[in-house]
């Protein structure tokens, strides 16, 4: 993978290091990142996204402590073995749960009809 | 805010240290007792509205202005009596650079490169091209934006240990702005440079900054790690019927026309929001930096 696989929204209320960890979690759970795969260096991510290297280090450190990544001698960070596609659909669904709740909350606040929201979501999933 | 309350022992030779600085122009208070320490390797975004006192604070910090009260130190030396050795470690880009305006950019770079042992001529050449700046026109004839871009290149080329930028973003298009943020972030994170930049465009600093400080009306309202700020503060909205239960010590409170109340609240020791957040009808909204700034600076 290279640094462009990550999307960073600096103005989001969610700190950048958390955005990175969440994306790694999803990419690993979804199989886009496979066990043993090498991650871009802190410098590559920081340079590509023009963010502070300390923020990227913090994200990698947190992902490591959660068992998503592991540090390999001479190779840097890699996706931890035992991570990834072995996760059940149920577990992967759990990762999406907070975002679905948030979308549902906003849809209710905007008083949007449920079937419209579902139709649009289906459209996006089909893309 | 303990996360970045740096202790005095480390402040001894801290790149920047300010104690009780106050200043006024023609009787109007510009700074009203500011304390601030900047540890090595940090990138501080100084946020404030126009007229909040950002430029005055920066000028006082660097000894370019003698404040009416207080003490300012750079690398442990009094800012008003800096040694040449300390000056060589600093680069400052004012909002409107005026120095050496009778030279062309190339002439200025040639001249200055002799004073800086780590002058990066390759960086100058690359960035002048990338930022589309004329090398052979007298700088007095450049537009204010071009002039500031040349000055940013000058400052970065000297590879300073302390880089102070006053509203650098205004002169830059989005591509150049991203370039600048990248330079700032990498130099701080890798070379241990310390950076302070002021801005009223909050989104600019969110990529690169490690800390933020809100300057409002000559006072620092908040100085905290950037991530901690986003995680620690939120807006609590209470319907009119519950508004009496609002926590008494909020950073800001706004009463709305319908009697409902918005307050900026802080997580407690246990990481939870104040009790009022659990009242029926209460709502806690995460705040981006810009929203937080607007809430407390209004």
């Amino acid at each position: 993978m290279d640094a462009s696989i990550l999307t960073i929204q600096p103005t989001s209320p969610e700190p950048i290091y958390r955005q990175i960890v969440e994306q790694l979690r999803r990419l690993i759970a979804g199989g886009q990142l496979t066990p043993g795969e090498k991650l871009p260096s802190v410098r590559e991510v920081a340079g590509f996204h023009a963010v502070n290297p300390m923020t990227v280090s913090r994200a990698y450190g947190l992902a490591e402590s959660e068992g998503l990544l592991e540090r390999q001698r001479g190779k840097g960070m890699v996706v931890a073995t035992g991570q990834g596609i072995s996760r059940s659909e149920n577990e992967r669904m759990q990762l999406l749960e907070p975002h679905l709740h948030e979308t549902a909350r906003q849809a209710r606040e905007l008083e949007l009809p449920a079937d419209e929201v579902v139709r649009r979501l289906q459209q996006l999933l089909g893309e | 805010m303990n996360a970045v309350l740096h202790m005095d022992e480390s402040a001894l030779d801290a790149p920047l240290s300010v104690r009780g600085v106050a200043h006024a122009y023609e009787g109007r208070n510009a700074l009203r007792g500011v304390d601030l320490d900047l540890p090595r390797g940090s990138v501080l975004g100084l946020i404030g509205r126009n007229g909040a006192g950002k430029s005055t604070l920066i000028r006082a910090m660097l000894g370019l202005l003698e404040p009416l009260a207080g003490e300012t130190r750079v690398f442990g030396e009094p800012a008003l009596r800096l040694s040449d050795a300390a000056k060589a470690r600093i680069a400052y880009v004012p909002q409107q650079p005026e120095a050496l305006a009778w030279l062309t950019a190339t002439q200025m770079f040639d001249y200055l490169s002799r004073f800086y042992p780590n002058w990066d001529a390759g960086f100058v050449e690359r960035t002048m091209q990338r930022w589309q700046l004329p090398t052979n026109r007298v700088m007095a004839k450049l537009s204010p934006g071009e002039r500031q871009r040349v000055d940013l290149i000058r400052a970065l080329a000297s590879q300073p240990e302390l880089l102070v930028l006053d509203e650098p973003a205004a002169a830059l298009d989005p591509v150049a702005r991203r370039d600048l943020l990248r330079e700032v972030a990498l130099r701080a994170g890798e070379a241990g440079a310390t950076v302070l930049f002021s801005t009223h465009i909050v989104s600019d600093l969110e990529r690169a900054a490690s800390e933020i400080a809100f300057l409002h009306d000559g006072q620092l309202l908040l100085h905290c790690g950037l991530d901690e700020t986003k995680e620690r503060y939120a807006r609590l909205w209470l319907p009119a019927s519950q508004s009496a239960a609002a926590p008494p010590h909020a950073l800001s409170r706004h009463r709305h026309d319908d009697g409902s109340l918005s307050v900026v609240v802080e997580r407690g020791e246990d990481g939870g929001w104040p009790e009022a957040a659990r009242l029926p009808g209460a709502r806690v909204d995460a705040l981006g930096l810009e929203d937080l700034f607007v809430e407390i600076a209004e």
Side-chain angles (χ1 to χ4, degrees):
Chain A
M1 80 176 265
D2 66 36
S4 66
I5 199 171
L6 298 169
T7 318
I8 287 169
Q9 292 176 308
T11 55
S12 156
E14 187 176 34
I16 292 172
Y17 82 95
R18 284 197 183 276
Q19 295 180 30
I20 295 175
V21 174
E22 286 312 310
Q23 283 177 52
L24 290 175
R25 202 193 308 282
R26 286 199 296 272
L27 289 165
I28 291 168
Q32 289 106 311
L33 289 179
T34 50
E37 193 170 342
K38 188 179 173 310
L39 273 93
S41 69
V42 166
R43 181 173 220 282
E44 284 172 77
V45 177
F48 185 86
H49 293 285
V51 299
N52 199 306
M54 284 180 283
T55 307
V56 184
S57 297
R58 187 173 185 182
Y60 279 11
L62 183 59
E64 187 186 12
S65 71
E66 288 187 12
L68 291 169
L69 304 179
E70 52 194 33
R71 214 174 287 271
Q72 246 177 37
R73 210 178 284 254
K75 228 177 154 187
M77 280 291 188
V78 301
V79 177
T81 46
Q83 283 291 330
I85 36 173
S86 58
R87 287 204 195 204
S88 68
E89 184 178 312
N90 201 4
E91 281 173 307
R92 282 176 284 141
M93 199 63 201
Q94 283 300 321
L95 293 170
L96 198 58
E97 197 70 0
H99 304 277
L100 293 173
H101 275 281
E102 179 57 21
T103 307
R105 184 184 75 81
Q106 292 191 10
R108 275 197 304 275
E109 279 184 13
L110 294 165
E111 299 181 3
L112 292 170
D115 48 351
E116 274 303 316
V117 177
V118 171
R119 189 173 322 145
R120 176 67 185 133
L121 188 59
Q122 268 168 345
Q123 239 175 29
L124 289 172
L125 288 169
E127 272 173 12
Chain B
M1 272 170 254
N2 298 333
V4 282
L5 272 186
H6 307 286
M7 293 302 106
D8 279 321
E9 57 196 273
S10 65
L12 277 178
D13 57 353
L16 278 176
S17 168
V18 167
R19 285 283 171 283
V21 164
H23 197 65
Y25 295 110
E26 294 167 357
R28 206 185 129 256
N29 283 330
L31 293 175
R32 302 189 290 172
V34 174
D35 294 325
L36 184 66
D37 284 312
L38 208 54
R40 191 170 176 276
S42 57
V43 181
L44 174 70
L46 181 64
I47 311 172
R49 299 175 70 173
N50 292 325
K54 302 188 293 292
S55 296
T56 307
L57 177 59
I58 285 175
R59 291 174 55 76
M61 277 175 163
L62 296 176
L64 300 167
L65 169 155
E66 186 170 3
L68 292 178
E71 193 190 15
T72 59
R73 288 178 171 270
V74 181
F75 295 120
E77 298 181 11
L80 289 162
R81 298 188 302 279
L82 281 187
S83 65
D84 287 346
K87 283 180 189 163
R89 299 161 73 187
I90 307 170
Y92 160 60
V93 179
Q95 269 186 74
Q96 290 164 329
E98 282 160 1
L100 307 173
W102 63 90
L103 298 179
T104 68
T106 304
Q107 288 167 336
M108 175 184 71
F109 293 140
D110 283 348
Y111 172 69
L112 291 176
S113 63
R114 291 176 237 160
F115 300 102
Y116 295 97
N118 299 321
W119 186 263
D120 188 345
F123 172 80
V124 171
E125 197 176 326
R126 278 196 311 278
T127 317
M128 284 294 285
Q129 247 177 32
R130 198 170 149 80
W131 291 2
Q132 301 171 341
L133 291 163
T135 49
N136 291 315
R137 201 181 307 158
V138 169
M139 289 190 291
K141 297 258 164 83
L142 300 180
S143 73
E146 288 173 329
R147 185 76 186 80
Q148 203 192 17
R149 291 207 290 281
V150 170
D151 215 43
L152 283 166
I153 294 172
R154 184 267 308 162
L156 290 164
S158 70
Q159 310 215 45
E161 286 173 60
L162 171 63
L163 176 63
V164 179
L165 310 172
D166 196 358
E167 294 276 358
L172 302 176
D173 64 39
V175 172
R177 199 140 84 195
R178 189 66 65 86
D179 289 344
L180 175 68
L181 292 174
R182 180 177 297 116
E183 286 298 327
V184 162
L186 291 179
R187 283 167 190 236
E190 293 181 340
T194 307
V195 184
L196 183 154
F197 66 108
S198 73
T199 183
H200 62 280
I201 309 171
V202 179
S203 60
D204 273 339
L205 57 82
E206 297 197 42
R207 285 180 186 275
S210 59
E211 314 177 1
I212 53 146
F214 286 165
L215 187 68
H216 184 58
D217 227 356
Q219 286 181 303
L220 273 192
L221 294 186
L222 187 84
H223 175 203
C224 198
L226 177 58
D227 294 332
E228 288 70 26
T229 306
K230 286 184 171 182
E231 289 174 340
R232 184 176 303 176
Y233 298 96
R235 178 173 46 214
L236 168 64
W237 181 86
L238 293 168
S241 56
Q242 304 283 6
S243 66
H249 305 294
L251 258 173
S252 82
R253 52 201 300 138
H254 295 293
R255 173 82 60 178
H256 304 290
D257 291 342
D258 63 356
S260 64
L261 191 70
S262 290
V263 290
V264 170
V265 291
E266 190 177 346
R267 286 188 195 273
E269 300 273 306
D270 58 351
W273 299 114
E275 253 171 62
R278 288 183 286 277
L279 292 169
R283 203 180 68 216
V284 174
D285 291 318
L287 287 175
L289 213 51
E290 182 152 326
D291 289 331
L292 178 63
F293 177 59
V294 169
E295 284 286 332
I296 66 179
E298 230 169 13

